[in-house]
Amino acid sequence: MRKDIITSILALVSIVFLVALGIFYIQEGSFEGAGARMDSVLTDLPDNAARAANETAETANEVIEDIADGPDDKPG
C-alpha cells in the first residue's frame, strides 16, 4: 500500500515535470532554452511561494481582526 502511494507521487511529479518542460520547449524552441527557463522559474519559486504565504497570512489576520471587532453596523 505504502509503495503504491510513493510510486504514484513520483509518477505525478515526473508527469508535471515533463509537461512543464514540453510547454517551455514549445515557447522557447529548444531544450536549452526550455532548461534555462525552468531554472529561472525554479529559482523564483521559493520567493513567490513565500510572498503568497505572507499575503495569505496577512489577509487571514485582517479577517480575524474584523471578526473579533464585531459588526460594523451600530444599532441606533
Side-chain angles (χ1 to χ4, degrees):
M1 180 74 160
R2 176 175 239 131
K3 195 173 189 178
D4 293 336
I5 294 172
I6 293 172
T7 304
S8 298
I9 291 171
L10 287 174
L12 179 65
V13 169
S14 298
I15 290 169
V16 169
F17 176 80
L18 290 174
V19 167
L21 185 62
I23 290 170
F24 291 151
Y25 174 77
I26 291 169
Q27 290 176 347
E28 299 295 325
S30 69
F31 281 115
E32 183 178 353
R37 179 105 181 262
M38 270 188 121
D39 288 343
S40 149
V41 168
L42 291 175
T43 300
D44 295 340
L45 186 65
D47 293 333
N48 293 340
R51 188 177 316 114
N54 287 336
E55 290 174 3
T56 302
E58 289 173 7
T59 304
N61 193 23
E62 290 173 7
V63 169
I64 291 169
E65 287 175 2
D66 288 345
I67 292 170
D69 289 344
D72 290 338
D73 300 337
K74 292 185 179 182

